[in-house]
Amino acid sequence: MAKKAQSVPRREKGLSRNRIIEASIELLDSSGEGGLTFRALSERLATGPGAIYWHIASKSELLIAACDAIVARTMNAPVATNKREATPQAIIRSLALGMFDAIDAHPWVGSALIRAELQSPMVRIVERIGQQVRALGVPDEQQWEAVSALFSYILGVGGKNAANGQLARTRGIDRSEFLEAMSHVWLQLDPQEYPFVRSAAGQLRAHDDRMDFLAGINLILKGIESSRRR
C-alpha cells in the first residue's frame, strides 16, 4: 500500500541573501522593527534560523541590509526622461522626492539610516547626490557642505513625515481633521505674540507635506547656486 503523503511545509529551494532581505522588508513593513526576529523570519521562509544565520549574522546586519535594498532601488531608479529634464538640479529633486516617498512607504528606513552611519545605505545617498552637486560646478571646498545640507534635510524631514504618518495610523487620526483642529488652535493665539503663526493658520489647514518638502529642497538648491556664483 502506498504511503500517505505527509503535509509538511517544504522549504523552498535556493534560500539566498536576497530572499532573506525581501522577506525582512515585508516583516518590517507589516510589524516594524519589533516584528523583525529570526524566528518570525524563519516561519515566513519555512526554514530554520541556522540557514538564515549562514547568510546574515545578526538582526542589526539584517536591518541595515534591508535599508540598503530600499535605498539602492531609490537611488538607481530612472530620474529623467530627456536631456532637458536631466539637469543636476532636476536629478537632485527627483532623488530627494524618491527618498521622501521611500521613507514614507517604509517608516523604519529613517531610523535605520541614522544607525547606518557610514555604512552602505548612507554612502549610496551621499555619493549619488554628491555627483550632482559636483555637476553643478560647486567648488571642491564647498561640495561637502552642500551635500551634507541636502542629506540632513532629506533624512530629517522625510523621517519626521514618516513618523507623523505612522503615529496617525496607529492612533486612527484623520489628517484633515487634525490639521483643521490645529489651525483653529493657532487662530486663537495672541495676535501680538504670535502674528506669523496666526497668519499661517489657513495655509496649515490645506498644506501638502510632499510639496513643502520639495520647496525646502528648492531653497537649498538656490542657496547652493548663490554660493557658487559668489
Side-chain angles (χ1 to χ4, degrees):
M1 181 182 294
K3 293 183 178 179
K4 187 177 180 180
Q6 294 183 343
S7 178
V8 178
R10 287 185 61 188
R11 181 194 306 177
E12 294 185 22
K13 296 181 180 179
L15 181 65
S16 65
R17 180 182 174 89
N18 285 341
R19 283 193 61 231
I20 293 170
I21 291 171
E22 289 305 314
S24 299
I25 291 172
E26 293 173 4
L27 276 173
L28 286 162
D29 287 346
S30 62
S31 306
E33 287 187 36
L36 180 63
T37 66
F38 275 74
R39 180 177 179 179
L41 195 55
S42 298
E43 293 176 355
R44 181 174 287 265
L45 292 168
T47 188
I52 299 174
Y53 279 116
W54 178 263
H55 295 278
I56 296 180
S58 66
K59 177 177 176 178
S60 176
E61 181 184 340
L62 190 58
L63 181 63
I64 298 302
C67 176
D68 190 44
I70 298 297
V71 170
R73 292 172 196 169
T74 306
M75 292 295 101
N76 295 331
V79 295
T81 57
N82 55 56
K83 290 183 178 180
R84 184 177 181 180
E85 294 176 351
T87 64
Q89 294 93 332
I91 293 174
I92 288 173
R93 291 188 192 98
S94 181
L95 292 171
L97 282 174
M99 279 308 306
F100 181 86
D101 292 339
I103 296 174
D104 187 49
H106 311 280
W108 51 272
V109 167
S111 60
L113 270 171
I114 293 173
R115 279 176 281 176
E117 297 179 346
L118 298 179
Q119 297 183 61
S120 187
M122 176 181 175
V123 173
R124 287 186 193 277
I125 300 173
V126 170
E127 177 62 30
R128 194 77 168 88
I129 293 176
Q131 290 177 12
Q132 302 309 314
V133 167
R134 180 172 289 177
L136 284 171
V138 176
D140 290 350
E141 64 274 13
Q142 296 177 12
Q143 288 176 8
W144 170 247
E145 294 176 355
V147 173
S148 179
L150 285 163
F151 177 82
S152 298
Y153 179 82
I154 292 168
L155 183 57
V157 177
K160 182 177 181 295
N161 174 75
N164 288 342
Q166 191 172 32
L167 180 63
R169 287 188 292 272
T170 301
R171 297 184 177 180
I173 299 173
D174 179 81
R175 181 180 184 275
S176 297
E177 292 178 0
F178 176 76
L179 291 178
E180 181 68 33
M182 184 177 290
S183 175
H184 178 73
V185 170
W186 284 16
L187 286 171
Q188 308 309 309
L189 295 173
D190 186 329
Q192 299 299 319
E193 190 172 0
Y194 301 100
F196 172 76
V197 172
R198 281 175 53 89
S199 69
Q203 296 177 42
L204 173 70
R205 187 182 297 115
H207 83 281
D208 184 302
D209 294 319
R210 198 170 185 269
M211 290 300 98
D212 286 353
F213 171 80
L214 183 58
I217 291 292
N218 287 332
L219 284 173
I220 295 174
L221 288 174
K222 287 179 181 178
I224 292 172
E225 180 64 18
S226 176
S227 177
R228 184 184 68 80
R229 288 175 179 175
R230 287 199 301 269

